[in-house]
Amino acid sequence: MHPHTILMNANDNVAIVANDGGLPMGAVLSNGVVLRDKVPQGHKVALVNIGANAPVLRYGVAIGYALRDIPAGAWVHERLLQLPGARSLDDLPQCTATVPAPAPLLGYTFEGYKNPDGSVGTRNILGITTTVQCVAGVVEFAVEKIKRELLPDYPRVDDVIGLEHSYGCGVAIDAPGAEIPIRTLRNISMNPNFGGELMVVSLGCEKLPPGKLMPAGSIPLAQLQGPDGALDVVCLQDEAHEGFMSMIDHIVQSARPHLARLNARQRETVPASELAVGVQCGGSDAFSGVTANPAVGFCTDLLVRAGATVMFSETTEVRDGIAQLTARASTPQVAQAMIREMQWYDAYLGRGKVDRSANTTPGNKQGGLSNIVEKAMGSIVKSGTLPITGVLSPGEKLQQKGLIYAATPASDFICGTLQLAAGMNLHVFTTGRGTPYGLAEVPVIKVATRTALAKRWHDLMDINAGTIADGHQSIEDVGWELFHVLLDVASGRKKTWAEHWKLKNALVLFNPAPVT
Ligand code: CA
């Protein structure tokens, strides 16, 4: 076996072992260093002697400080590293990175569904909004009946989904922070893949009634299609309902006109600038920041050059890279908005008596990621290299195109839910440890960081970026492959594996406010 290690930056004093199965003690690296330990795949090896308290450098930054002398050839694992303190938010560089204006990328299109509000859908779905978890079972029953009895008559409608969640009852509805889950639900209902067809099922006694979820003026008039131009609501406690089947029939009958309008829609050729792509990672390993995330970052640059929108998120995973990101802000306002989101999140975590270091999982560490600094450096490369032009607080809706920092927790389902609310129409998800993640609302394109995972999960992973570590493809090759796959999936010409198997994770709201 030929030892293969990957160095991220010429200044680094550690490299990661790329060989499948790792490398044995005694293996000789290309620089002549002999391994003093068995080093697992994805883990770090010291390239030189690193003295106690000296920085351990990966990505050209200190991911930690040596707790004792580490000789060349030793396995550098998390127990040898002191975590650096969090970067102060007081003196960050703002707009200092000089990025040459990129050449526009013209001529790329996809086949999408144009919406009345100007957004474009990649799927044609009836999404039924719920105001409270109490109605979830009834809505699920009704959705099954609609799919069984009505959907065959509307062949151009891809799916019917109940937008189920845990909010609405027993919540402190006016507490600071409550605006986040409320606007998240409101904005998800207007996701481009639902075609502007608003249909709400409510219980009747909940803290979050339809009028509070969708106040007049918060939604485009074109989306009000109930009687008298009001919101289309089925209220289960309505006295007109005698028995369970009466509720079900009411929901099923209400769905008919929505399905008819959705079914009349046709895909049209639109420019690639109509893509709104949310990127995130989950189940990360040391290859995430070497293969999949850099390839996603290259694709992010392509998309932004094509005029599209890319959202990157996961606040605890960008916190340690914040100086690089504020430097890339297009204006001081954007830099300050990023800092505001970091401050808010530091305070949020502080209330729970934790900090960003609570992010890394046991699986991350087994996969070679020693701590949150190393994970963050590998995570933010998904954002590519171009200026950051906008910032969204959790649950807010996109108002502009370009590269957007959409502040969200790193939790896969919460991040996905908030990116849905922002208005994403495609989701890119990288994984090294492996997760079968999927969403019912938008296609999720999963990118594997390692060939071994892509082979083992051949019918779950859509793209293999492990070929970069294997030396068979470049970051640019995989980035372009992803770009073309995104256009094919957006057009409905290609289904993702998660769509093929109908894998879907629940919507999970971010609720920082109290529950009563
Ligand atoms: Ca995540």
Side-chain angles (χ1 to χ4, degrees), residues 115-270:
N115 291 319
D117 67 355
S119 66
V120 173
T122 59
R123 295 292 181 269
N124 193 27
I125 298 170
L126 175 60
I128 301 177
T129 300
T130 62
T131 56
V132 66
Q133 169 65 22
C134 314
V135 306
V138 173
V139 169
E140 187 185 359
F141 191 100
V143 163
E144 287 308 313
K145 190 171 163 75
I146 292 167
K147 284 162 82 163
R148 206 168 48 239
E149 296 177 10
L150 264 55
L151 210 49
D153 295 337
Y154 304 101
R156 285 209 286 269
V157 179
D158 293 316
D159 203 359
V160 181
I161 302 172
L163 300 174
E164 185 199 328
H165 57 84
S166 58
Y167 203 68
C169 177
V171 293
I173 200 78
D174 294 318
E179 70 278 8
I180 292 177
I182 295 172
R183 73 183 172 216
T184 302
L185 277 176
R186 177 185 307 140
N187 290 335
I188 282 183
S189 308
M190 291 182 275
N191 181 276
N193 281 2
F194 303 145
E197 293 293 332
L198 270 182
M199 174 176 166
V200 182
V201 177
S202 120
L203 180 64
C205 61
E206 63 271 34
K207 280 274 188 71
L208 181 64
K212 189 157 184 118
L213 178 61
M214 304 277 185
S218 71
I219 39 179
L221 284 176
Q223 301 191 6
L224 295 171
Q225 283 133 352
D228 312 321
L231 195 59
D232 183 6
V233 178
V234 176
C235 175
L236 300 190
Q237 289 173 352
D238 193 322
E239 292 192 358
H241 291 143
E242 295 223 7
F244 174 59
M245 286 317 293
S246 155
M247 301 171 190
I248 297 298
D249 287 344
H250 192 176
I251 297 170
V252 171
Q253 290 314 317
S254 295
R256 272 188 190 279
H258 296 288
L259 289 169
R261 281 188 295 268
L262 289 171
N263 196 58
R265 284 149 45 95
Q266 306 260 15
R267 286 188 185 269
E268 295 172 65
T269 303
V270 296

Side-chain angles (χ1 to χ4, degrees), residues 27-59:
V28 183
L29 305 184
S30 57
N31 67 350
V33 166
V34 179
L35 290 200
R36 300 170 64 101
D37 304 299
K38 177 180 173 1
V39 182
Q41 187 192 30
H43 283 248
K44 293 175 287 298
V45 56
L47 298 175
V48 294
N49 292 324
I50 302 171
N53 302 316
V56 172
L57 300 168
R58 188 179 173 203
Y59 299 103

Side-chain angles (χ1 to χ4, degrees), residues 383-446:
S383 68
T385 61
L386 297 176
I388 299 155
T389 50
V391 177
L392 292 180
S393 294
E396 286 183 341
K397 200 165 184 285
L398 286 166
Q399 304 290 345
Q400 60 180 126
K401 293 182 187 289
L403 180 60
I404 308 293
Y405 178 63
T408 79
S411 156
D412 297 347
F413 333 104
I414 298 181
C415 172
T417 298
L418 291 167
Q419 289 182 340
L420 279 173
M424 78 168 159
N425 54 21
L426 280 184
H427 200 17
V428 173
F429 191 98
T430 69
T431 185
R433 304 290 297 168
T435 157
Y437 177 79
L439 292 173
E441 295 80 9
V442 303
V444 179
I445 296 95
K446 288 202 289 297

Side-chain angles (χ1 to χ4, degrees), residues 305-370:
R305 286 171 54 199
T309 304
V310 179
M311 287 179 276
F312 70 103
S313 298
E314 305 172 297
T315 299
T316 46
E317 291 170 18
V318 307
R319 179 65 179 79
D320 285 289
I322 186 63
Q324 294 175 36
L325 297 175
T326 51
R328 277 170 56 200
S330 63
T331 66
Q333 288 75 16
V334 168
Q336 284 148 22
M338 270 190 278
I339 294 166
R340 182 194 70 215
E341 293 301 330
M342 297 298 128
Q343 286 167 334
W344 188 93
Y345 216 88
D346 281 357
Y348 165 74
L349 292 177
R351 285 203 298 280
K353 302 215 183 319
V354 296
D355 62 21
R356 78 222 198 276
S357 68
N359 172 299
T360 34
T361 66
N364 290 154
K365 290 180 180 173
Q366 281 165 25
L369 289 174
S370 292

